[in-house]
């Protein structure tokens, strides 16, 4: 082995080193009492970067200021533009409930819910999810859908040019 | 894709993610001291690591133990650094005497298991049963781990035909790289 190459290889490896990044967002969707309850788990630093770009608002500072009016309005706009859910083929309107930060400020939880759904057996759930893809194209969007204690999971990856998926029940 | 395959793939992708290569680097530094002919010892080593990480992944996923994610992410490169330094110090020692390697694989496996659980717990919804996804996720980790080890020794095999090198140089190369890279990972968040 050419020993002269070793220092350069070490340097290359050291320069590209980074801790194991978790580039993902999670959406938990639960069907209960004829409604859908949605909870998004988004990494705060990723979300902050996304909202600043999406609304052209560099003043958004989720860690130090939190979700003030500008950040909350921008978040709602971002979700409205990037998240669509269809229940048995019909797109649902979602109402924003609240957004909270975890104790460590690392994760932001966004809660939303649908209006009452028509009483019919579930056949399919379609989800289009491009939340934070603009700034983080390498991330995975995990969507857990729970209906009557049965959970099904979708993974949407922008790197595979996926933006939407459907689960049939 | 079935629920089982979904979580299996998430486990596989997590351990084999080249952008976050801490787990890969740890496995490589652990295996670096062995020759291809010592595959039985590698099997014991991989089993010890599997037992270690499976135990803490399950305990953390079931909320029996709670670990601070920041410290775990810091400890993972420490395990790589420690393993690399041990390899460098004992590069001349016959590997059949390196029983401490099995102990390191087991004990450091506990730390890596907590790292896997940070990711796994983030995936889980509040209303989900975790038993089945946990099993599938762990199977995915094992497949990924076996693939990494197989590719590592396949590379060793091919290289040994292409160029002549001493096994000691091989150990020094991987352990030096492991020590250097893990040092950057340790210092980065400080």
């Amino acid at each position: 082995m050419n020993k002269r190459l070793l220092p350069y290889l070490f340097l290359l490896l050291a320069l590209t080193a980074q801790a194991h990044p978790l580039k993902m967002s999670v959406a938990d969707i639960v069907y209960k009492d004829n409604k859908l309850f949605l909870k998004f788990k988004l990494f705060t630093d990723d979300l902050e970067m996304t909202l600043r770009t999406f609304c052209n608002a560099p003043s958004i500072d989720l860690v130090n200021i939190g979700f003030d009016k500008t950040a909350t309005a921008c978040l709602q706009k971002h979700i409205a533009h990037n998240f669509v859910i269809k229940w048995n083929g019909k797109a649902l309107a979602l109402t924003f409930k609240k957004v909270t930060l975890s104790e460590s400020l690392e994760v932001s939880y966004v809660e939303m819910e649908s209006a009452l759904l028509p009483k019919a057996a579930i056949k399919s759930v379609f989800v289009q999810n491009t939340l934070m893809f603009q700034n983080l194209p390498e991330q995975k969007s995990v969507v857990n859908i729970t209906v009557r204690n049965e959970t099904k999971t979708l993974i949407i990856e922008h790197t595979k040019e996926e933006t939407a998926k459907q689960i049939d029940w | 894709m079935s629920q089982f395959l979904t979580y299996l793939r998430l486990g596989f992708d997590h351990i084999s993610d080249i952008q976050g290569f801490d787990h890969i680097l740890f496995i490589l530094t652990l295996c670096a001291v062995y020759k291809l002919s010592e595959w039985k010892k590698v099997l014991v080593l991989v089993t010890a690591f599997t037992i270690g990480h499976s135990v803490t992944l399950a305990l953390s996923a079931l909320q029996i133990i709670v670990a601070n994610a920041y410290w775990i992410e810091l400890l993972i490169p420490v395990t790589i650094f420690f393993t690399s330094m041990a390899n460098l110090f004992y590069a001349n020692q016959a590997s059949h005497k390196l029983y401490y390697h099995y102990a390191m694989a087991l004990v450091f496996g506990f730390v890596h298991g907590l790292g896997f659980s940070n990711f796994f717990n983030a995936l889980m919804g509040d209303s989900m049963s975790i038993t089945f996804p946990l099993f599938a996720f762990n199977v995915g980790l094992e497949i990924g781990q076996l693939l990494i080890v197989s590719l590592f020794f396949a590379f060793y095999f091919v290289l040994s035909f292409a160029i002549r090198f001493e096994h000691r140089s091989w150990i020094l190369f991987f352990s030096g790289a492991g020590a250097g890279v893990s040092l950057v990972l340790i210092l980065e968040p400080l």
Side-chain angles (χ1 to χ4, degrees), chain B residues 76-96:
Chain B
I76 287 173
V78 170
T79 65
I80 304 166
F81 184 76
F82 195 89
T83 308
S84 302
M85 294 310 286
N87 289 351
L88 290 172
F89 279 116
Y90 299 104
N92 292 324
Q93 198 170 346
S95 60
H96 67 269

Side-chain angles (χ1 to χ4, degrees), chain A residues 6 20 41 144 153 157, chain B residues 3 9 14 22 123-124 173:
Chain A
L6 292 184
H20 208 135
K41 292 192 272 187
N144 299 312
T153 301
E157 293 175 74
Chain B
Q3 191 76 347
R9 215 196 86 194
H14 185 67
D22 48 356
L123 292 172
M124 291 292 99
F173 174 73

Side-chain angles (χ1 to χ4, degrees), chain B residues 1-2 21-22 25 48 77 80 87 92 117 127 154 168 188:
Chain B
M1 193 189 291
S2 76
F21 52 77
D22 48 356
L25 192 59
I80 304 166
N87 289 351
N92 292 324
S117 75
S127 334
R168 188 169 174 275
E188 202 174 43

Side-chain angles (χ1 to χ4, degrees), chain B residues 1-181:
Chain B
M1 193 189 291
S2 76
Q3 191 76 347
F4 183 84
L5 285 178
T6 301
Y7 282 90
L8 184 145
R9 215 196 86 194
L10 284 166
F12 178 83
D13 287 351
H14 185 67
I15 198 166
S16 58
D17 178 8
I18 203 75
Q19 290 193 322
F21 52 77
D22 48 356
H23 304 300
I24 297 174
L25 192 59
F26 176 70
I27 295 168
L28 297 190
T29 52
L30 261 184
C31 293
V33 291
Y34 296 97
K35 294 175 188 166
L36 202 55
S37 57
E38 298 174 303
W39 64 270
K40 282 182 186 169
K41 288 173 188 165
V42 175
L43 208 60
V44 176
L45 190 82
V46 169
T47 306
F49 181 60
T50 298
I51 292 169
H53 75 66
S54 300
V55 166
T56 45
L57 169 61
L59 290 175
S60 175
L62 296 166
Q63 306 289 318
I64 295 168
I65 55 171
V66 180
N68 182 301
Y70 173 82
W71 286 107
I72 295 305
E73 292 310 313
L74 192 66
L75 274 175
I76 287 173
V78 170
T79 65
I80 304 166
F81 184 76
F82 195 89
T83 308
S84 302
M85 294 310 286
N87 289 351
L88 290 172
F89 279 116
Y90 299 104
N92 292 324
Q93 198 170 346
S95 60
H96 67 269
K97 292 178 186 167
L98 302 179
Y99 290 113
Y100 72 89
H101 242 90
Y102 302 146
M104 277 200 308
L106 179 71
V107 174
F108 291 164
F110 293 147
V111 177
H112 284 256
L114 292 171
F116 296 144
S117 75
N118 289 338
F119 178 70
F120 180 78
N121 291 339
L123 292 172
M124 291 292 99
D126 300 338
S127 334
M128 287 175 68
S129 161
I130 67 155
T131 316
F132 191 64
L134 177 64
F135 174 69
F137 184 79
N138 213 359
V139 172
L141 289 175
E142 300 325 316
I143 295 172
Q145 181 181 307
L146 288 174
L147 183 73
I148 292 163
V149 173
S150 305
L151 288 176
F152 178 72
F153 281 103
F155 178 62
Y156 181 99
F157 180 72
V158 171
L159 200 69
S160 63
F161 274 104
I163 52 173
R164 278 185 58 191
F165 61 90
E166 290 175 20
H167 187 63
R168 188 169 174 275
S169 302
W170 175 260
I171 297 174
L172 292 179
F173 174 73
F174 274 97
S175 305
V181 174

